[in-house]
Amino acid sequence: VEGSIHGYRIVVSATEFASGKKQDFEKLASEGSVFGFILLDLIDHDPRYETLKELGVPVVLLGRTFSPHKNFYAVGTDDEEGGFQATEYLIKQGKKRIAFLCFQTFSKPAIDRLNGYKSALLKNNLEVDESLICFYFRMTEEISGYEGMKQILNSGVPEAVFCTSDLRAIGAIKAIHDEGLRVPEDIAVIGFDDLPFAELNQTPLTTIHQPFPKMAEHTIDIFNQIEQKGSASANVFSLKGELIKRSSA
């Protein structure tokens, strides 16, 4: 898929992170038509990092707040602050038994959101109950949220759950309803992302809004700075998420 914005020609292509697709990146770079790369579907220790380091072209890691190399620039939401904000909001609602439902343990955004969750509990003199922390991943985010929430409910009913994505929160809400429980009366649910469907859900979702348009603006600005000055003003641009209050919590 191709398009243009602010004078740049944007080529969108799906690649499989497991293979690294080294030859694809090398081919694009060797043609001399690529000024830089934007990577989205990242994992920690992504094999594409090494390939792109060797090519020496600017790379923006979108949705991340760490830079593994001087030619890499990161633009993302402050995940730890977002996790803290979500959890403290639930605490101010009077919730004390707050579950945490997340994806893989090796994901830096997941760990940062977990650290924010724990920090909010400790700041408010609440115990970090490891039995309420669930890392669960299956075929899709929704299924993971559903089955992960079932796992939490098997150990007891929390007063609230912080899900680290909106899709996971939707799955969690279905699991709660299937157990004959209500949202938010029995269990409050908060997500993370503020995807377009969040406010259209049967129970509109309280969530942490990620400023995606601002991320895009920062990304273009990084390339402009590199083109004009040889480098950007910083390697990491961390943006604050915003709590969006709806019916689920």
Side-chain angles (χ1 to χ4, degrees):
V1 181
E2 294 191 28
S4 62
I5 183 171
H6 296 288
Y8 292 99
R9 185 168 67 96
I10 307 295
V11 180
V12 180
S13 176
T15 66
E16 173 55 51
F17 68 76
S19 67
K21 293 290 183 182
K22 182 175 181 178
Q23 65 274 20
D24 291 349
F25 291 118
E26 289 179 337
K27 182 175 183 295
L28 285 168
S30 66
E31 291 172 351
S33 59
V34 173
F35 182 74
F37 290 97
I38 302 170
L39 298 188
L40 293 169
D41 58 330
L42 300 167
I43 61 171
D44 294 350
H45 311 296
D46 196 302
R48 291 173 297 185
Y49 289 162
E50 291 303 318
T51 297
L52 290 167
K53 281 181 189 177
E54 294 172 10
L55 296 178
V57 297
V59 177
V60 174
L61 309 177
L62 201 55
R64 290 293 184 270
T65 53
F66 70 96
S67 170
H69 188 262
K70 64 180 181 180
N71 285 338
F72 285 52
Y73 299 85
V75 180
T77 302
D78 186 333
D79 290 301
E80 185 165 345
E81 193 279 334
F84 181 93
Q85 190 178 175
T87 307
E88 184 158 76
Y89 170 74
L90 293 170
I91 293 169
K92 288 180 177 178
Q93 298 291 308
K95 313 301 182 184
K96 295 182 179 180
R97 280 180 48 80
I98 302 170
F100 177 87
L101 182 53
C102 195
F103 36 92
Q104 299 99 324
T105 56
F106 56 77
S107 165
K108 189 176 187 303
I111 297 303
D112 287 347
R113 291 171 197 180
L114 174 61
N115 288 337
Y117 159 85
K118 289 181 175 180
S119 295
L121 293 175
L122 295 174
K123 180 196 170 187
N124 289 276
N125 300 311
L126 295 175
E127 178 186 358
V128 176
D129 185 345
E130 296 293 336
S131 70
L132 291 174
I133 298 174
C134 179
F135 285 90
Y136 197 95
F137 183 77
R138 286 297 181 267
M139 294 172 61
T140 66
E141 286 274 338
E142 297 95 320
I143 292 173
S144 299
Y146 181 86
E147 294 184 359
M149 192 69 226
K150 286 276 193 177
Q151 185 172 302
I152 291 171
L153 292 171
N154 286 338
S155 301
V157 178
E159 296 173 274
V161 58
F162 166 39
C163 300
T164 56
S165 76
D166 288 349
L167 289 170
R168 192 167 294 264
I170 295 303
I173 288 173
K174 184 173 187 337
I176 291 167
H177 287 161
D178 285 356
E179 290 296 317
L181 299 168
R182 301 166 298 165
V183 176
E185 293 84 356
D186 298 312
I187 303 176
V189 178
I190 187 166
F192 202 108
D193 287 330
D194 194 26
L195 297 178
F197 67 80
E199 64 180 329
L200 303 176
N201 192 48
Q202 184 175 359
T203 304
L205 187 64
T206 297
T207 187
I208 299 296
H209 171 81
Q210 293 210 66
F212 295 117
K214 285 187 178 180
M215 290 185 202
E217 290 172 10
H218 275 282
T219 298
I220 295 300
D221 189 51
I222 286 169
F223 286 127
N224 281 333
Q225 289 184 46
I226 294 170
E227 188 174 30
Q228 295 167 12
K229 303 176 183 178
S231 65
S233 59
N235 279 79
V236 176
F237 297 84
S238 182
L239 308 178
K240 184 176 180 179
E242 178 187 358
L243 177 69
I244 305 297
K245 301 176 185 177
R246 298 192 181 102
S247 304
S248 68

